[in-house]
Amino acid sequence: MRIAQITYSTKPRGGVVHTLALAEALARRGHEVTVWTLGRGGDQAFFRPVDPAVQVRVVPFEAREDETVGERIERSIQTMSAAFQEAFRSERGPAFDVVHAQDCISANAVVAAGARCVRTIHHLDEFTTPGLVECHRLAISEPVARLCVSQAVAHEVGEAYRLEPTVIPNGVDAARFARAASPAGTPARNAWRDRLGPYVLALGGIEPRKGSIDLLEAFARLRRGHPDLSLVFGGGETLFDYRPYRARFEERAAELGIEPVILGTLDDDDVPPLVAAASALGMVSTKEGFGLAAMEALAAGVPVVARDLPVTREVFGDCVRYAHDVPSIAAALASAVDGRSGADAAAGRALAERHSWDGAAAAHERFYEHVLREGGDGGAAVDLADRHPVGAR
């Protein structure tokens, strides 16, 4: 199949990581795969090298300081759509058999270009601006078929839109994070520990959905008994404007006497040893689609504290420690850091190993075949269990 995978950014957000890993796995299965993205801020390539078997098309997108988030999203859609109109169709017919949009922006751009697409809904966002609400709605209702990476999100889509997406869980490069935790990864891990000392890690930046202030408050309690610990935030590239939330975070940190280490966007090779060197990973998001960072931590044998949500229960079972508010997050982190009874590290590693990208690609292939044969999913989940399980290698 000729497959276009489309994402809105070159930066290491979860959906972008998903797009690249899925594209590479599909290429290994013999498909012709092209990944499309916007080159924000002059970017001409993704945050990491991409398998040469995958073609990459970066659509230039100039930065503008004087526009709102809504204006930036609208311009993103228009810019992508113009590129698609030129490339997706020719006198010989459609350029791709399958066009797969991985986010709201790319789905709207494909629809605006007059093409049919599959959409992965990683999670449902909550907007109040009418234009963004409509953008979000169209990106779910207009594609010919829909996927989710967890049943919990598929249920939310069903409740809100009366549609039943097909569920294909994320994969994870478990071997890469396991290597970082192995004896061979000791120098890189030690480099982070020498720099940071013992630390609790959070990935994904400082933003409301990540529950960053809750984690800060919990860490303040944790540090009373663990004064040598640091709180470290990695990543955080985002399209949205979280400056007011970031200001509240910084104000509260000063009141608590905590100086979090803010690493920002990381080189891709730095992420596995940073994760493997952590005393614990805190993923206390108020909303998640899957929790890829937590799965990567489990692959490295690092204990995870997750907010108790339907999606985290579904994906992680008994392999993480759960919490629901600041006191319980602090208590769960203390348990994780102290190595007291709780989640089984071996079970966590085994869970991560079962989520392969090759298995996810095989399931996507079967889904695409159904969509091509039937013209879409008809608003109902597609049965993919008749051949191989999603986790099969």
Side-chain angles (χ1 to χ4, degrees):
M1 281 181 276
R2 298 167 301 165
I3 302 167
Q5 294 284 340
I6 309 171
T7 184
Y8 75 101
S9 176
T10 58
K11 307 299 185 184
R13 295 293 288 184
V16 182
V17 172
H18 172 107
T19 302
L20 296 182
L22 175 60
E24 291 169 331
L26 287 166
R28 288 194 294 271
R29 296 184 65 82
H31 301 288
E32 296 180 19
V33 186
T34 302
V35 175
W36 290 74
T37 189
L38 286 175
R40 299 181 184 279
D43 282 358
Q44 297 180 354
F46 280 100
F47 67 93
R48 68 163 176 85
V50 180
D51 187 326
V54 175
Q55 297 185 56
V56 173
R57 296 286 300 273
V58 179
V59 179
F61 188 80
E62 66 180 32
R64 294 180 185 173
E65 297 296 330
D66 59 344
E67 62 185 354
T68 66
V69 171
E71 290 168 342
R72 189 178 306 121
I73 288 176
E74 183 177 351
R75 186 164 62 90
S76 298
I77 293 169
Q78 292 171 348
T79 302
M80 267 194 158
S81 178
F84 295 160
Q85 287 175 353
E86 180 178 344
F88 277 16
R89 296 192 177 278
S90 68
E91 294 179 357
R92 293 169 295 180
F96 298 99
D97 301 307
V98 175
V99 178
H100 188 163
Q102 293 286 349
D103 51 76
C104 175
I105 288 172
S106 57
N108 274 275
V110 173
V111 171
R116 295 154 56 87
C117 74
V118 170
R119 163 81 198 282
T120 293
I121 306 162
H122 291 273
H123 64 268
L124 290 182
D125 288 304
E126 296 178 0
F127 296 114
T128 56
T129 305
L132 293 181
V133 170
E134 181 65 2
C135 172
H136 191 254
R137 185 190 70 79
L138 290 174
I140 294 171
S141 62
E142 291 303 304
V144 299
R146 285 147 288 270
L147 290 164
C148 288
V149 294
S150 62
Q151 188 59 55
V153 176
H155 177 74
E156 291 180 13
V157 174
E159 290 285 306
Y161 294 90
R162 298 191 178 185
L163 295 166
E164 187 181 356
T166 301
V167 176
I168 302 179
N170 262 330
V172 62
D173 191 349
R176 184 167 178 249
F177 285 82
R179 283 194 300 272
S182 72
T186 300
R189 291 199 309 277
N190 285 347
W192 281 114
R193 288 172 179 161
D194 291 344
R195 175 180 172 182
L196 301 171
Y199 56 92
V200 171
L201 177 65
L203 293 175
I206 298 168
E207 57 185 71
R209 184 173 69 85
K210 296 296 183 181
S212 306
I213 293 177
D214 280 356
L215 182 60
L216 177 70
E217 296 278 1
F219 181 79
R221 296 178 179 228
L222 171 68
R223 200 180 60 167
R224 295 169 190 166
H226 300 79
D228 58 334
L229 279 175
S230 297
L231 178 60
V232 177
F233 288 84
E237 176 68 26
T238 180
L239 184 67
F240 297 100
D241 183 1
Y242 294 128
R243 284 176 295 182
Y245 185 84
R246 178 71 175 262
R248 292 198 302 275
F249 176 93
E250 292 172 350
E251 180 181 0
R252 187 58 181 146
E255 292 171 352
L256 294 168
I258 296 172
E259 295 183 7
V261 179
I262 313 298
L263 297 175
T265 301
L266 297 155
D267 288 341
D268 190 52
D269 289 341
D270 286 338
V271 176
L274 174 69
V275 172
S279 300
L281 180 93
M283 188 187 75
V284 297
S285 308
T286 59
K287 185 182 288 288
E288 280 287 347
F290 180 84
L292 185 56
M295 195 66 77
E296 292 168 342
L298 293 181
V302 173
V304 172
V305 172
R307 195 179 295 269
D308 196 348
L309 304 172
V311 64
T312 49
R313 288 283 180 179
E314 172 195 339
V315 173
F316 297 102
D318 295 330
C319 292
V320 303
R321 295 164 174 82
Y322 291 101
H324 62 276
D325 59 10
V326 168
S328 60
I329 293 169
L333 285 172
S335 175
V337 169
D338 292 340
R340 297 197 299 269
S341 60
D344 182 350
R349 285 191 290 267
L351 176 67
E353 289 170 358
R354 290 197 295 272
H355 285 77
S356 79
W357 283 114
D358 287 335
H364 277 81
E365 183 181 272
R366 299 195 295 276
F367 183 77
Y368 296 156
E369 289 170 349
H370 174 92
V371 170
L372 290 173
R373 185 173 60 250
E374 303 295 332
D377 65 6
V382 176
D383 183 6
L384 303 177
D386 58 341
R387 291 175 60 189
H388 304 292
V390 168
R393 293 183 182 272

